[in-house]
Amino acid sequence: MISNNVFNPYPRSRKSVYAKNGIVATSQVAASQAGLDILKKGGNAIDAAVATAACLTVVEPTSNGIGSDAFAIVHFHGKTYGLNSSGPSPKKLTKKALEKLGYQQIPIHGWLPIDVPGTPSGWAALVTKFGKLTLLEDLQPAINYARNGYVVSQILARFWRKAYAAYLKEARLSPSFQRSFKEWQRIFTNHGKTPNPGEIWKSPDHAKTLEEIGSTNAESFYRGKLAQKIVAASISNGGLLRSDDLSNYHSEWVTPLSVQYHGYDVLELPPNGQGIVTLEALGILDNFNFSSRDNFDTTHKQIEAIKLAFSDLFDYVGDPNTMKIDPHDLLAKSYLKNQSEKISDIAQSPNPSEVNKSGTVYLCTADSEGNMVSYIQSNYMGFGSGVVVPNTGIALNNRANNFTFDCTSANFLEGGKRPLNTIIPGFLKKDGEAVGPFGVMGGFMQPQGHLQVLMNAIDFGLDPQGSLDAPRWQWMSGNHIDFEQEWSSSLLAQLQKAGHIITVNPEPNTFGRGQIIWRNPETRTYVGGSESRTDGAIAAW
């Protein structure tokens, strides 16, 4: 039957969406609609962001879960705030402890790479400080999707199937992971099969947990019944997460960092996130002018600036409580000018590092009062650890895998320490006025995506959808750069001649997935774009 066909080989651009009263942009249509429903119910942009984020733990479990980390930039009544809801490692998680268990590096899956989840605390903090509705009211759309079911979309089904295959391979190699993986299989497969596009999927355990989080303002997750279940599962499966790790955790309000770029103020959150890469790279590029997007000079300088910024990230950035430098030092104008002078016409290899890890959802919201939210949450590497707390639907992160055993690194593994975190929300201002939220998901692609979509808007005049649709590149390691297949062969040849090692990658989802909302201060209306490389859409009012 024609109605069952899901194949479409012809990628098309969406159009930017305009709105007066409110707008929600996410990677899943159901989540965007839920956020809009909350706005119409009387909630503000913050309520809509929390509602949407909770929905995404249900309708896009391939990228995030209740056991995620989260970060947000909130513009509320003319002031801008930052929220860090990333969790630290368990106090018992140390290099010495892992070596005693026979590990020479931090495992990817299972209970050992799990950090304290920060997302539920972040939801509660946002609603308590800014919301018009209660947390339980904001979580109700997600509860309904989990209990009554939602329709699985195309890209979601694809990555679900891909993740399951990877977990099965790991389970065959690791008996300990195989044991803890059984609950994931029960929750996220139907008798060993992942859902196809168009199927209805329900998560009743997930619904009950969201109700518990909502009715207790997330206290149960850290200091109540849910915390007890999490710790019991950790102990019984050889994990290191304990009651005091959860009970001592609270989200942290922080002041965003910023740089000026060609007349605009770009805001990112301070470490332990990697937003400082975007800021440093743009601060370097602020010393140049760019006449055209698709030419050698622009693309080469973008790549070289990103490499310089990533070198500093891996050298200096980790938990801000243990960093040996002040992040502001990397954004000083004199330092950025010196960095810009290192860029020549030849590709230069930075410190070696592999940067291709992902698994994140980004969303942004805005309301009729001018409030806006840039929000991101992630389990890391898709579903994360492959661990689900029994009878809760809580899929847990594997964020501790981002630590290193190198004791000279700012990101050295220690108990009770936050790792370098890949997820970053962004925000743009001009002359002190809010322009709006933006973000690009996808591991270490994120600051590279931030830089490219912002330059598309600021330097090359593209609207939000065009800024997102434009083909992207991604620095991988050394002088290796991946390009989407839409780039011209003549430009790629020029870059190759300059020393860049070029690979054309036909998989669009490796280049990040973004959302943008801009506000027009004259009309007080909004315009937004939603990533065309994946599922998702904008809901507008």
Side-chain angles (χ1 to χ4, degrees):
M1 293 175 59
I2 290 176
S3 61
N4 288 334
N5 288 349
V6 296
F7 177 64
N8 180 356
Y10 307 109
R12 297 176 181 172
S13 169
R14 298 168 177 158
K15 301 299 182 183
S16 291
V17 175
Y18 292 81
K20 175 186 176 184
N21 296 313
I23 186 167
V24 179
T26 82
S27 53
Q28 293 293 327
V29 174
S32 295
Q33 188 60 54
L36 189 66
D37 289 345
I38 288 293
L39 289 176
K40 291 183 175 181
K41 187 178 179 179
N44 59 20
I46 293 83
D47 293 302
V50 171
T52 303
C55 283
L56 286 168
T57 70
V58 179
V59 304
E60 195 175 316
T62 55
S63 300
N64 74 130
I66 297 174
S68 290
D69 284 331
F71 294 85
I73 297 177
V74 179
H75 187 75
F76 183 76
H77 291 180
K79 295 183 179 180
T80 308
Y81 306 81
L83 181 67
N84 183 329
S85 292
S86 67
S89 59
K91 291 178 182 177
K92 291 179 176 291
L93 182 60
T94 63
K95 178 184 177 184
K96 185 176 180 180
L98 290 182
E99 288 177 335
K100 189 175 180 179
L101 293 171
Y103 291 95
Q104 298 304 311
Q105 58 186 9
I106 303 160
I108 296 175
H109 297 134
W111 275 94
L112 292 177
I114 294 170
D115 279 349
V116 175
T119 288
S121 175
W123 295 344
L126 287 166
V127 172
T128 299
K129 192 174 182 71
F130 300 116
K132 289 185 174 181
L133 306 178
T134 66
L135 181 57
L136 184 58
E137 288 176 302
D138 287 340
L139 299 192
Q140 198 59 53
I143 294 167
N144 292 339
Y145 283 137
R147 177 165 292 137
N148 301 318
Y150 63 95
V151 180
V152 174
S153 54
Q154 289 185 30
I155 303 299
L156 173 63
R158 178 185 168 199
F159 281 96
W160 204 320
R161 183 171 61 250
K162 188 175 179 180
Y164 185 39
Y167 284 146
L168 285 175
K169 183 178 179 180
E170 175 79 7
R172 285 193 292 267
L173 299 173
S174 170
S176 62
F177 177 65
Q178 189 175 51
R179 288 192 300 273
S180 57
F181 177 56
K182 288 181 180 179
E183 182 69 2
W184 188 100
Q185 288 179 297
R186 186 182 76 82
I187 293 293
F188 290 114
T189 72
N190 184 7
H191 301 293
K193 292 183 178 180
T194 59
N196 292 315
E199 289 187 25
I200 294 176
W201 195 262
K202 298 180 181 180
S203 307
D205 288 348
H206 201 138
K208 288 185 287 186
T209 293
L210 288 172
E211 283 183 325
E212 177 78 5
I213 291 171
S215 63
T216 65
N217 209 38
E219 280 297 300
S220 179
F221 192 93
Y222 298 96
R223 290 161 282 275
K225 293 179 181 179
L226 291 175
Q228 292 170 8
K229 291 182 179 181
I230 295 168
V231 173
S234 173
I235 293 172
S236 65
N237 287 279
L240 300 175
L241 196 62
R242 296 295 184 266
S243 296
D244 59 339
D245 295 314
L246 292 169
S247 63
N248 291 329
Y249 181 75
H250 296 277
S251 296
E252 180 184 1
W253 292 101
V254 297
T255 302
L257 299 174
S258 68
V259 296
Q260 281 201 336
Y261 177 75
H262 290 181
Y264 288 81
D265 293 309
V266 182
L267 280 66
E268 302 272 357
L269 294 184
N272 56 315
Q274 61 172 340
I276 196 165
V277 172
T278 303
L279 298 180
E280 182 178 341
L282 285 171
I284 292 169
L285 295 173
D286 189 50
N287 293 283
F288 305 101
N289 292 311
F290 301 99
S291 59
S292 174
R293 180 187 183 277
D294 300 318
N295 65 20
F296 170 82
D297 183 68
T298 297
T299 311
H300 171 74
K301 283 188 170 68
Q302 287 177 328
I303 293 169
E304 294 302 290
I306 277 289
K307 289 192 291 187
L308 287 166
F310 264 115
S311 292
D312 283 346
L313 177 81
F314 295 127
D315 280 348
Y316 302 123
V317 175
D319 188 320
N321 293 321
T322 60
M323 285 175 57
K324 296 181 180 178
I325 68 162
D326 185 332
H328 292 90
D329 293 343
L330 298 177
L331 304 178
K333 286 190 174 182
S334 58
Y335 180 72
L336 296 172
K337 177 66 173 175
N338 289 337
Q339 289 286 77
S340 72
E341 292 170 354
K342 295 179 181 179
I343 297 177
S344 69
D345 291 334
I346 303 299
Q348 301 177 63
S349 183
N351 294 337
S353 181
E354 297 293 334
V355 297
N356 190 22
K357 296 176 181 177
S358 62
T360 304
V361 293
Y362 173 79
L363 63 97
C364 45
T365 62
D367 63 30
S368 60
E369 297 177 355
N371 303 315
M372 291 173 268
V373 179
S374 182
Y375 181 99
I376 195 161
Q377 69 186 22
S378 173
N379 269 10
Y380 198 43
M381 300 187 197
F383 279 95
S385 61
V387 170
V388 176
V389 179
N391 303 310
T392 67
I394 299 172
L396 291 166
N397 67 79
N398 60 338
R399 187 58 68 175
N401 180 260
N402 227 27
F403 281 115
T404 176
F405 271 14
D406 179 2
C407 63
T408 66
S409 169
N411 196 37
F412 173 61
L413 172 63
E414 293 178 278
K417 181 179 177 181
R418 288 176 292 183
L420 172 63
N421 205 304
T422 57
I423 58 176
I424 52 174
F427 202 89
L428 190 65
K429 290 185 173 183
K430 184 173 177 61
D431 300 327
E433 297 293 324
V435 176
F438 67 92
V440 177
M441 310 163 240
F444 287 99
M445 175 64 199
Q446 291 180 57
Q448 306 183 61
H450 280 211
L451 178 140
Q452 291 173 71
V453 300
L454 276 184
M455 290 183 67
N456 289 341
I458 294 171
D459 293 306
F460 310 123
L462 299 184
D463 71 0
Q465 194 60 53
S467 297
L468 292 166
D469 284 346
R472 297 178 191 148
W473 50 264
Q474 179 178 192
W475 172 66
M476 305 302 292
S477 64
N479 285 328
H480 291 260
I481 316 293
D482 272 9
F483 282 82
E484 288 193 285
Q485 54 191 349
E486 292 85 359
W487 290 86
S488 73
S489 57
S490 60
L491 173 56
L492 298 185
Q494 285 181 281
L495 292 166
Q496 198 165 28
K497 187 176 180 180
H500 298 284
I501 301 170
I502 305 297
T503 301
V504 176
N505 188 340
E507 172 51 74
N509 280 279
T510 63
F511 292 91
R513 306 174 297 157
Q515 320 289 339
I516 297 173
I517 296 173
W518 298 147
R519 185 173 188 265
N520 185 325
E522 296 177 0
T523 62
R524 297 185 180 181
T525 58
Y526 297 103
V527 57
S530 180
E531 186 62 64
S532 59
R533 293 167 178 82
T534 188
D535 305 319
I538 286 180
W541 182 26

